[in-house]
Amino acid sequence: MTRLSYLHEPGVLDNLAVRYAKNIIYTYTGNILIAINPFQRLPNLVDVQTMEKYKGANLGDLDPHVFAIADVSYRQMMNEGKSNSILVSGESGAGKTETTKLLMRYLAFLGGRSGTGGRTVEQQVLESNPVLEAFGNAKTVRNNNSSRFGKFVELQFDKSGKISGAAIRTYLLERSRVCQTSSPERNYHCFYFLCSAPSEDIKKYKLGDPSSFHYLNQSSCIRVDGINDAEEYLATRNAMDMVGITEEEQEAIFRVVAAVLHLGNISFAKGTEADSSVIKDAKSRFHLNTAGELLMCDCEKLENALIKREINTPEGVITTTVGPNSATVSRDGFAKQIYSRLFDWLVNRINASIGQDPSSDKLIGVLDIYGFESFKTNSFEQLCINFTNEKLQQHFNQNVFKMEQEEYTREQINWSYIEFVDNQDVLDLIEKKPGGIIALLDEACMFPKSTHETLSQKLYEKFKNHKRFAKPKLSRTAFTIQHYAGDVIYQSDHFLDKNKDYVVAEHQELLNASRCSFVSVLFPPAPEENTKSSKSSSIATRFKL
Ligand SMILES: Nc1ncnc2c1ncn2[C@@H]1O[C@H](COP(=O)(O)OP(=O)(O)OP(=O)(O)O)[C@@H](O)[C@H]1O
Ligand SMILES: [Mg+2]
């Protein structure tokens, strides 16, 4: 790319397009690799022969390739003893996760222990992908296999350059998807996989067609071209075996997944007293009982946990009832918590079985984070995702522009300053403390009287002169942020609910008392000071960390 005579946007795009038309998907720009999604398996592009070819080759000697990038980072690590990170970024559907897998495969090829048989660290790392994707990926508008969580994989190497341990860190899973999907998207893959499981499993978990479950049938999309749910169920089970998840654990995992589906089918009707509710009908009662059985907890207590609320007062604990709407919110909150704890458990379990190498002082990290998103309707999740991407953009700016140019200045090289758009102002707008959007949102979540309307008014007032913030003309609750990748209009409607991250004490106690040790471990007793009043925990603030 740097050899182009005219280095401007049309020239760059044309160069990439011409190459792409010839199935050349990789191009260098300096030492950065641009990869364009081929949407097809290209012959001989990523096979073992190609890996052999790139092993030890200097960057630039061969055609641009993702293996070359991994090779450089590995050589540098070995020669200079320096740990490295490879950052894969791009918008949703650009091919980050696929590229990450290729990077891991190549690093496993370089640092693998050939011939040891059994489950090696690298095999387990590679096999963790299908497990995490089954529970953390979903079909979205942009991508049939969109990662709804961020992931940082750290490969640890020993002195001889062999992979000796690994750690997978994930960043907040989009949990609202568990209870809410709309056409043409789907919920997390695992729900559909399980509904296509062999008949004995279906019977055991009292499942049926995906379209009979509220959490799945809000969207008319049930099946996805190119995904065979029945085969994927078996593949996921296999991958679980590979990463060391026992048969017993797998059984509990899918029991919990099924329980979430049954929970979603519990409807409520108005009770005889004001602000109270009852289980709507026999069908709902069946799903309540099934959810209770699968979670191995007391069904009556489960019912109470959904339709009653205990309030701590100076005079002691008072039990009140809640109306059908609040009971539904409670049910959804319960389902989301169970699912996100299950996901975190999987990550921890995979890490425990792969094992870390505490004596390793060299590592290569690969970051695959959710890509920039701009949909017709954008909510809290998009704000978090786009905020993460702004952070990465800042890091990119820092490394590529600021540092390079500082070096030129230091070395008194004759150069002309390259303009780039610094996005610090967007970051300040979102994360500044106090006064940024997240701080104002957290504040709103603390006040019981706040609504998304009051929050929006506050944002309009506060940022009326901010050049990256705007109020769309016809809306009283939406706001626009000018991101580095374009303008995004956010609908603030569910921001407050989505930002709150606390487990209702009744839900926590109920599941902690489960007769199934797997479920009970997902909900350990909360530390004393956190019970009942831990309502200030916020998702957005955790995102900033
Ligand atoms: N190198 C590749 N070769 C073949 N197909 C690819 C490649 N990269 C991406 N694809 C295709 O594009 C799809 C989307 O890619 P991928 O899931 O990697 O996107 P992503 O950038 O991780 O998106 P998201 O941010 O939504 O997770 C893949 O499911 C696959 O079909
Ligand atoms: Mg992805």
Side-chain angles (χ1 to χ4, degrees):
M1 194 80 90
T2 47
R3 283 188 235 132
L4 287 179
S5 344
Y6 297 104
L7 202 55
H8 50 34
E9 200 168 306
V12 167
L13 290 176
D14 184 61
N15 182 36
L16 293 173
V18 168
R19 291 172 66 83
Y20 188 65
K22 295 186 205 153
N23 278 343
I24 306 174
I25 60 164
Y26 296 124
T27 307
Y28 291 130
T29 169
N31 50 10
I32 296 166
L33 178 81
I34 300 173
I36 306 186
N37 190 342
F39 283 110
Q40 56 174 309
R41 299 279 156 216
L42 296 172
N44 311 327
L45 189 66
V46 293
D47 51 15
V48 179
Q49 286 77 7
T50 311
M51 292 195 199
E52 289 287 358
K53 214 168 72 181
Y54 278 87
K55 192 171 169 182
N58 287 326
L59 191 79
D61 283 359
L62 299 170
D63 289 340
H65 203 291
V66 65
F67 294 159
I69 298 290
D71 201 81
V72 171
S73 68
Y74 183 79
R75 301 278 149 229
Q76 249 183 23
M77 177 190 73
M78 290 311 292
N79 297 338
E80 300 166 27
K82 218 168 67 178
S83 293
N84 266 320
S85 275
I86 305 174
L87 179 66
V88 187
S89 84
E91 62 177 64
S92 179
K96 295 179 297 296
T97 301
E98 293 301 317
T99 301
T100 303
K101 287 189 232 170
L102 293 175
L103 286 166
M104 305 304 287
R105 248 178 60 200
Y106 187 74
L107 290 169
F109 165 77
L110 290 182
R113 291 163 198 277
S114 54
T116 41
R119 290 186 202 128
T120 58
V121 171
E122 61 275 11
Q123 272 172 337
Q124 292 193 317
V125 174
L126 296 178
E127 284 304 319
S128 70
N129 283 320
V131 179
L132 293 179
E133 288 186 13
F135 290 83
N137 284 26
K139 178 196 187 303
T140 66
V141 180
R142 300 292 300 274
N143 182 355
N144 284 357
N145 185 33
S146 182
S147 322
R148 309 315 294 163
F149 63 102
K151 184 170 78 169
F152 183 66
V153 182
E154 183 185 296
L155 289 178
Q156 298 148 2
F157 294 85
D158 65 14
K159 299 234 165 347
S160 68
K162 294 284 168 215
I163 297 175
S164 53
I168 298 173
R169 192 179 328 165
T170 56
Y171 303 93
L172 294 170
L173 178 77
E174 177 189 63
R175 53 177 87 175
S176 56
R177 182 171 299 271
V178 175
C179 309
Q180 219 176 26
T181 45
S182 54
S183 298
E185 306 211 334
R186 284 211 312 184
N187 208 319
Y188 288 104
H189 295 323
C190 66
F191 292 115
Y192 308 87
F193 294 176
L194 182 58
C195 287
S196 301
S199 56
E200 65 266 24
D201 284 359
I202 298 283
K203 223 187 264 156
K204 189 163 58 186
Y205 302 129
K206 303 192 180 162
L207 294 169
D209 195 77
S211 59
S212 61
F213 290 102
H214 172 64
Y215 286 161
L216 309 183
N217 66 19
Q218 296 162 63
S219 162
S220 61
C221 176
I222 296 289
R223 278 166 245 292
V224 180
D225 278 349
I227 303 183
N228 180 328
D229 294 321
E231 274 173 21
E232 292 297 334
Y233 174 75
L234 300 175
T236 306
R237 285 276 197 159
N238 258 334
M240 286 174 147
D241 287 337
M242 283 294 291
V243 297
I245 298 176
T246 65
E247 188 60 35
E248 206 183 349
E249 286 166 338
Q250 293 179 29
E251 148 72 28
I253 290 166
F254 285 107
R255 200 152 28 73
V256 170
V257 173
V260 169
L261 287 181
H262 286 289
L263 275 175
N265 275 11
I266 307 173
S267 302
F268 306 93
K270 266 195 182 140
T272 42
E273 284 163 40
D275 274 336
S276 73
S277 40
V278 290
I279 302 300
K280 191 172 165 206
D281 47 24
K283 204 172 139 253
S284 288
R285 173 75 52 196
F286 162 78
H287 289 292
L288 176 95
N289 290 341
T290 312
E293 278 162 27
L294 293 169
L295 293 170
M296 295 196 188
C297 61
D298 187 307
C299 294
E300 200 184 321
K301 284 196 180 136
L302 172 61
E303 178 174 345
N304 286 338
L306 298 176
I307 61 174
K308 290 184 184 161
R309 189 63 60 250
E310 286 181 355
I311 302 169
N312 265 353
T313 69
E315 283 78 41
V317 180
I318 309 179
T319 305
T320 60
T321 54
V322 297
N325 286 343
S326 302
T328 308
V329 172
S330 174
R331 175 199 77 189
D332 287 349
F334 189 54
K336 281 187 279 195
Q337 277 296 345
I338 296 177
Y339 193 81
S340 71
R341 298 262 173 132
L342 173 66
F343 186 76
D344 291 344
W345 183 93
L346 280 168
V347 177
N348 288 335
R349 185 70 184 73
I350 291 170
N351 278 323
S353 99
I354 295 176
Q356 315 275 304
D357 175 9
S359 65
S360 160
D361 58 355
K362 292 193 286 280
L363 42 100
I364 294 183
V366 184
L367 184 69
D368 169 21
I369 208 110
Y370 3 49
F372 186 82
E373 289 184 344
S374 175
F375 298 132
K376 217 160 76 197
T377 313
N378 300 287
S379 184
F380 176 71
E381 295 76 16
Q382 279 69 43
L383 179 69
C384 291
I385 289 173
N386 293 342
F387 168 50
T388 314
N389 281 280
E390 288 284 356
K391 280 280 212 197
L392 291 177
Q393 181 67 17
Q394 166 87 347
H395 181 81
F396 183 85
N397 285 346
Q398 287 276 358
N399 280 279
V400 176
F401 298 116
K402 289 191 187 167
M403 273 159 55
E404 282 285 303
Q405 305 204 32
E406 274 162 22
E407 196 174 317
Y408 293 165
T409 312
R410 231 181 3 255
E411 294 183 0
Q412 299 182 326
I413 291 171
N414 196 5
W415 60 285
S416 59
Y417 188 80
I418 303 165
E419 278 289 329
F420 67 91
V421 184
D422 191 348
N423 65 341
Q424 187 57 46
D425 49 354
V426 189
L427 288 175
D428 287 345
L429 169 70
I430 301 174
E431 69 171 341
K432 203 163 166 206
K433 232 178 154 180
I437 293 176
I438 293 179
L440 294 176
L441 173 62
D442 284 356
E443 219 175 274
C445 287
M446 305 270 276
F447 290 108
K449 290 214 172 105
S450 301
T451 62
H452 68 284
E453 278 112 354
T454 61
L455 170 70
S456 306
Q457 290 313 316
K458 205 156 195 177
L459 296 179
Y460 296 154
E461 240 166 70
K462 176 102 191 180
F463 303 118
K464 69 172 177 270
N465 297 321
H466 199 292
K467 64 179 198 309
R468 300 284 208 151
F469 182 95
K471 171 184 178 302
K473 275 207 182 73
L474 294 173
S475 170
R476 285 178 40 241
T477 53
F479 60 91
T480 308
I481 297 181
Q482 265 179 38
H483 286 287
Y484 74 98
D487 289 6
V488 178
I489 304 176
Y490 296 98
Q491 309 295 339
S492 68
D493 304 43
H494 300 287
F495 267 51
L496 272 73
D497 268 344
K498 289 180 176 177
N499 187 40
K500 288 178 193 161
D501 176 30
Y502 62 91
V503 190
V504 175
E506 290 83 340
H507 298 174
Q508 145 83 39
E509 282 161 20
L510 175 79
L511 294 181
N512 181 248
S514 165
R515 292 185 309 283
C516 168
S517 60
F518 179 85
V519 174
S520 143
V521 164
L522 291 184
F523 288 83
E528 202 47 42
E529 71 272 21
N530 272 347
T531 47
K532 316 252 168 185
S533 61
S534 63
K535 304 208 168 180
S536 57
S537 180
S538 125
I539 299 270
T541 299
R542 276 173 59 198
F543 236 88
K544 279 168 46 181
L545 298 177

